[in-house]
Amino acid sequence: MTGQEIMNNKGMLIFGGTGDLAYRKLFPALYNLHCLGELPSNYKIIGIGRREYSNSEYIEIVKNWTKENSRLKYTEDDFSDFQKRISYYKMDMKNSDEYIELSTYMDSLELDGGVIYYYAVSPELFSPITKGLKKTNINRKSAKVIIEKPFGETLDSAREIYMDLKKYFKKDNIYHIDHYLGKEMIINIMTLRFENSIFKGVWNKDFIEKVEINAYETLGVENRGGYYDKSGALADMIQNHLFQIMSIVAMEEPEDSSSEAIKSAQQKVFKKLKKINSKKIDEILMLAQYNGYRDEERVSKDSTTETYAQLKVEIENDRWKGVPFYLRTGKMLSQRESEVIVSFKSTSENAHRNNLIIKIQPDEGVKLNFNIKKPGTSNVIEEVNMDFCQSCILDNRENTPEAYERLIKSCMESDRSLFSQWKQIELSWHYINDLIDSYKKYSNKLYFYEPGSKGPIENN
Ligand code: BG6
């Protein structure tokens, strides 16, 4: 970060400062940045929420979450230094009159510019916050906003949110965060694809049989039932995280390493997604819900929201025509595991398929399965593997920043390369909207699965 850029960053306002995301991800990430000396010395962090907390009560809560979730070692000394940056501000985010007082409060902290507004709230609050901020005298040129997914609940609401944001913030100061783009092994996919001739030449339909992108979780909806029940796995995970991964796996090599070139290559993939044949929706989409989901807090008793989804997409271009991409995600499954599995065509009936597995989490690494002759006199083919576990190496683990750490820092540096671009979001919403419409019209089948299982048995 250059000296000038450090000076430009004065603070962050977290709308949703008492929410799960702030506690679990944002404060631990900010604590890590603080410990690494990446935050400017007077940088302020204001948590905004509806609850009645004093500063010290709030800091105590933040402290416990930071202890539990920070990547770097928690120490009382570091935290007592870090906490000087933090304050709590209570307000009703829907009431636009209260933003005038907020701006007076910001003036009192000398936050007259260089501020990041972090929208860590559910999408229905995005527009009220933007409209409220319009009433203030906050420096618009330098103000940045980070907006959390889902960027709306439908394509129309996503557009409305974006249009509102554009009226207030400069287009280049709007950062749509998709924290998967900040994960080490997702950033690594491009290097793996384009810097290894053994993969580069065979990354197409002539050699690849299928691609699977899985993001499995063991946790349920926890205390996010209110949000999740309106969203579901398709909007919560597939429309954003999994589509982003798919577009990086599938894109053509970008013309250069600029953010624009990469985004443009990704965008072309979304434009070539095979049109949905509504009447055959069951062949490409399977939705399921874990037993017990309807008893979760703030979830409707007759909810039909999916907590598991499997989607098959195809990309209609020269590179990929006919190759299925399977995108799967689910909550309350037996294992937490996110990975990309690229399966190559087998060369003969006796040979196993070569699989390249890019492990995203919890382990980070790359594994390659290949065929070898079994030792001895027979000619039996055996499958063996090379396994590179990046996160098993202690130095790597300690030096790998958390996704949120990396992304907050990128935003402070005005580097947009790890953020989603509005055009991509629009295109992926388009697809998901069509998918949901077709599903509602021609299927509506919902399967069920046991918590702790591998998902619906119909899919196993
Ligand atoms: C979030 C989703 O974007 O990603 C959550 O809203 C999900 O429902 C989370 O649990 C998964 O993130 P990670 O980094 O734990 O894989």
Side-chain angles (χ1 to χ4, degrees):
M1 204 192 287
T2 65
Q4 187 51 45
E5 277 172 299
I6 289 181
M7 297 298 291
N8 289 345
N9 283 285
K10 294 198 173 160
M12 178 182 282
L13 262 76
I14 305 175
F15 291 100
T18 56
D20 195 65
L21 183 80
Y23 291 150
R24 236 183 252 278
K25 305 276 191 187
L26 303 183
F27 276 107
L30 287 161
Y31 170 81
N32 292 338
L33 290 172
H34 164 87
C35 294
L36 294 168
E38 305 274 12
L39 297 182
S41 56
N42 284 325
Y43 198 78
K44 312 234 167 46
I45 304 162
I46 303 166
I48 299 178
R50 268 176 314 179
R51 285 175 221 175
E52 198 72 62
Y53 285 134
S54 65
N55 269 350
S56 52
E57 281 168 337
Y58 185 63
I59 286 169
E60 202 46 40
I61 301 172
V62 168
K63 182 176 177 172
N64 291 332
W65 283 95
T66 305
K67 241 186 218 172
E68 212 174 296
N69 294 300
S70 71
R71 171 177 71 90
L72 297 177
K73 196 171 176 304
Y74 172 91
T75 71
E76 292 294 332
D77 277 357
D78 284 330
F79 191 84
S80 76
D81 219 22
F82 176 60
Q83 72 174 47
K84 293 181 192 142
R85 301 176 181 278
I86 305 173
S87 54
Y88 180 70
Y89 188 82
K90 175 188 175 291
M91 69 179 280
D92 173 3
M93 290 171 251
K94 285 191 178 150
N95 181 351
S96 60
D97 292 336
E98 294 196 17
Y99 287 79
I100 297 165
E101 282 164 51
L102 172 67
S103 102
T104 313
Y105 176 69
M106 287 171 70
D107 285 344
S108 74
L109 294 176
E110 294 176 12
L111 284 177
D112 49 355
V115 176
I116 296 176
Y117 298 94
Y118 204 118
Y119 289 18
V121 286
S122 57
E124 70 263 17
L125 281 172
F126 291 169
S127 287
I129 296 173
T130 308
K131 285 182 182 136
L133 287 175
K134 265 190 220 162
K135 287 199 160 186
T136 65
N137 55 2
I138 293 157
N139 182 331
R140 292 175 187 212
K141 268 203 194 127
S142 66
K144 292 177 183 168
V145 60
I146 300 183
I147 140 167
E148 269 291 333
K149 48 137 292 264
F151 314 119
E153 281 157 1
T154 59
L155 175 60
D156 287 343
S157 62
R159 274 196 185 127
E160 199 184 316
I161 290 166
Y162 183 63
M163 291 307 158
D164 273 346
L165 284 169
K166 264 201 345 187
K167 279 186 218 150
Y168 181 72
F169 295 98
K170 271 172 55 189
K171 198 164 136 244
D172 284 349
N173 284 346
I174 303 171
Y175 290 79
H176 289 96
I177 202 166
D178 183 315
H179 77 283
Y180 268 55
L181 292 179
K183 289 189 191 272
E184 184 63 35
M185 287 313 293
I186 293 176
I187 299 174
N188 227 318
I189 293 175
M190 288 215 293
T191 311
L192 199 69
R193 275 192 62 187
F194 302 124
E195 304 302 335
N196 291 297
S197 55
I198 51 164
F199 300 133
K200 197 169 170 170
V202 293
W203 209 261
N204 58 50
K205 63 178 188 302
D206 298 334
F207 295 92
I208 293 178
E209 183 153 317
K210 64 173 174 176
V211 177
E212 292 161 87
I213 301 173
N214 302 328
Y216 298 142
E217 298 183 81
T218 48
L219 292 179
V221 289
E222 306 281 287
N223 52 4
R224 296 165 72 227
Y227 147 74
Y228 194 88
D229 208 32
K230 281 194 251 144
S231 172
L234 280 176
D236 185 53
M237 292 291 288
I238 294 200
Q239 182 268 337
N240 34 73
H241 305 324
L242 270 60
F243 265 26
Q244 286 290 344
I245 303 176
M246 175 194 66
S247 64
I248 299 170
V249 172
M251 70 185 179
E252 298 302 307
E253 186 166 7
E255 279 173 17
D256 54 55
S257 59
S258 68
S259 147
E260 291 72 31
I262 298 169
K263 300 295 167 199
S264 147
Q266 282 181 267
Q267 219 184 89
K268 286 183 186 143
V269 174
F270 292 119
K271 287 189 179 153
K272 290 289 176 187
L273 289 180
K274 184 173 175 180
K275 220 175 146 3
I276 297 157
N277 179 346
S278 301
K279 295 195 178 139
K280 293 193 174 168
I281 185 76
D282 287 336
E283 289 176 19
I284 64 161
L285 182 67
M286 175 185 219
L287 301 182
Q289 188 184 81
Y290 63 80
N291 289 328
Y293 170 73
R294 291 173 183 177
D295 298 326
E296 299 276 16
E297 223 177 284
R298 284 180 286 145
V299 164
S300 142
K301 290 285 166 238
D302 53 2
S303 170
T304 52
T305 300
E306 76 285 358
T307 57
Y308 177 99
Q310 173 179 277
L311 171 66
K312 177 179 151 194
V313 294
E314 283 177 52
I315 300 158
E316 302 225 280
N317 61 13
D318 285 349
R319 184 182 290 275
W320 294 114
K321 201 163 175 36
V323 180
F325 281 66
Y326 293 96
L327 277 46
R328 300 188 192 97
T329 185
K331 291 201 180 283
M332 276 278 187
L333 297 174
S334 56
Q335 226 178 337
R336 175 172 185 250
E337 189 168 63
S338 299
E339 58 188 14
V340 177
I341 308 171
V342 181
S343 297
F344 293 87
K345 294 184 172 165
S346 42
T347 51
S348 73
E349 269 184 14
N350 300 332
H352 304 272
R353 268 201 298 255
N354 297 140
N355 288 321
L356 174 73
I357 304 168
I358 305 168
K359 293 186 280 187
I360 299 166
Q361 61 189 25
D363 290 340
E364 291 171 356
V366 181
K367 189 167 156 184
L368 180 66
N369 298 337
F370 58 100
N371 294 297
I372 201 154
K373 188 189 79 63
K374 209 171 175 178
T377 49
S378 76
N379 259 338
V380 175
I381 296 178
E382 195 177 43
E383 188 185 41
V384 291
N385 63 66
M386 291 186 200
D387 197 348
F388 167 62
C389 175
Q390 171 157 285
S391 52
C392 299
I393 304 165
L394 192 64
D395 274 1
N396 284 353
R397 201 166 48 217
E398 289 191 341
N399 292 332
T400 305
E402 288 284 339
Y404 275 94
E405 221 174 299
R406 201 190 304 260
L407 294 168
I408 290 172
K409 188 168 172 233
S410 294
C411 177
M412 290 170 81
E413 292 171 331
S414 304
D415 174 359
R416 304 172 58 77
S417 54
L418 297 179
F419 289 84
S420 316
Q421 200 197 28
W422 166 247
K423 203 67 211 156
Q424 294 171 348
I425 296 168
E426 201 175 25
L427 289 166
S428 57
W429 259 128
H430 232 293
Y431 186 89
I432 293 292
N433 261 15
D434 285 355
L435 192 75
I436 294 174
D437 285 351
S438 303
Y439 170 79
K440 284 192 179 149
K441 216 160 154 193
Y442 293 102
S443 170
N444 257 329
K445 264 188 213 143
L446 184 69
Y447 296 86
F448 292 89
Y449 61 99
E450 281 308 311
S453 69
K454 286 186 179 313
I457 41 172
E458 292 81 354
N459 201 27
N460 291 324

